[in-house]
Amino acid sequence: MNYLAHLYFAKPTADSHFGNLLGDFGGHRHVAQLSEPVKNALSNHYLVDKFTDAHPIVKEAKQYFSPMRRRFAGVAVDVVFDHFLIMHWQRFSDQPLSDFKRNSFGLLNQRLAHMPPRMQRVVTSITKHDWFKDYETINGVGDALDNIADRIRFANQFTGAAEDIKRHYNQLDAAFLAFFPELIAHVKEFNTERT
């Protein structure tokens, strides 16, 4: 899953928000200097990723991307699932998305000084420019994926993934709605951040 989903699964604390995103920024390399709550949140991040990557619905969703983009289909599914989480937010949260974002951004900023440098840059950009606003539209998702394609260190044909998303929008939406409740149940079952 992508950044919004990881924050969705975080507890409403600064340590939890920090740890739940840290997994995308070399989390294991920093374990020695982390507090227990941050370590537990990092474990939650990896729990979410492992379940997602192995899930048959997610594997099937990757097949909706054309062969030339399939190598990076997992990245595309992660980002488009954040889009669907936004589209269906009221189904999965009692808190308005605008309030959730404001609270999450504030909690992340409380731990900015403790984050690895690349995470600091990304989190500063997420909170300053509200990346999740871009994820509300397929064009915004497409722009985000094209930016990722530009940052890949070797020649690739990942650019234009929004074409595949538009072509299979309804199937991807249905995949998200079938998958996400199972992920919620899985996170609750393992409860890595219990206090």
Side-chain angles (χ1 to χ4, degrees):
M1 300 299 289
N2 206 47
Y3 300 139
L4 178 61
H6 281 297
L7 293 175
Y8 171 88
F9 287 111
K11 302 292 184 192
T13 68
D15 282 343
S16 180
H17 275 63
F18 172 27
N20 271 283
L21 279 196
L22 181 61
D24 285 331
F25 301 92
H28 281 315
R29 293 197 305 269
H30 308 283
V31 167
Q33 63 256 33
L34 299 178
S35 68
E36 208 58 36
V38 177
K39 286 180 188 175
N40 291 340
L42 178 61
S43 294
N44 196 59
H45 176 105
Y46 291 128
L47 177 79
V48 168
D49 279 358
K50 187 175 178 183
F51 183 81
T52 301
D53 292 344
H55 202 286
I57 291 174
V58 174
K59 288 180 178 178
E60 184 180 328
K62 293 176 185 178
Q63 301 308 307
Y64 293 124
F65 290 86
S66 57
M68 66 183 183
R69 297 189 186 100
R70 201 154 296 147
R71 180 173 182 179
F72 301 102
V75 175
V77 170
D78 282 352
V79 175
V80 79
F81 273 16
D82 264 9
H83 164 76
F84 290 123
L85 178 55
I86 290 167
M87 294 297 96
H88 300 293
W89 184 262
Q90 291 178 314
R91 225 185 252 215
F92 299 109
S93 178
D94 295 328
Q95 184 180 34
L97 180 59
S98 57
D99 291 351
F100 174 86
K101 289 192 293 185
R102 185 172 58 253
N103 293 339
S104 288
F105 293 171
L107 292 169
L108 286 169
N109 283 324
Q110 286 179 34
R111 292 294 179 271
L112 200 60
H114 304 282
M115 295 176 186
R118 189 172 74 86
M119 186 177 182
Q120 286 182 356
R121 290 191 298 274
V122 171
V123 167
T124 297
S125 186
I126 288 172
T127 59
K128 187 175 179 183
H129 303 292
D130 187 2
W131 287 13
F132 305 137
K133 186 77 179 159
D134 294 338
Y135 291 0
E136 291 178 11
T137 68
I138 293 306
N139 287 339
V141 169
D143 289 345
L145 292 172
D146 287 350
N147 287 336
I148 292 169
D150 289 344
R151 291 196 306 272
I152 295 170
R153 293 190 202 103
F154 53 86
N156 65 83
Q157 295 178 295
F158 188 44
T159 302
E163 298 165 15
D164 294 327
I165 294 169
K166 288 174 185 173
R167 191 176 305 114
H168 299 288
Y169 188 86
N170 291 336
Q171 295 98 317
L172 288 163
D173 187 24
F176 171 80
L177 288 173
F179 165 73
F180 201 66
E182 292 189 25
L183 178 57
I184 290 171
H186 184 72
V187 170
K188 282 182 180 170
E189 179 186 354
F190 283 86
N191 196 18
T192 63
E193 293 191 77
R194 60 184 162 273
T195 53

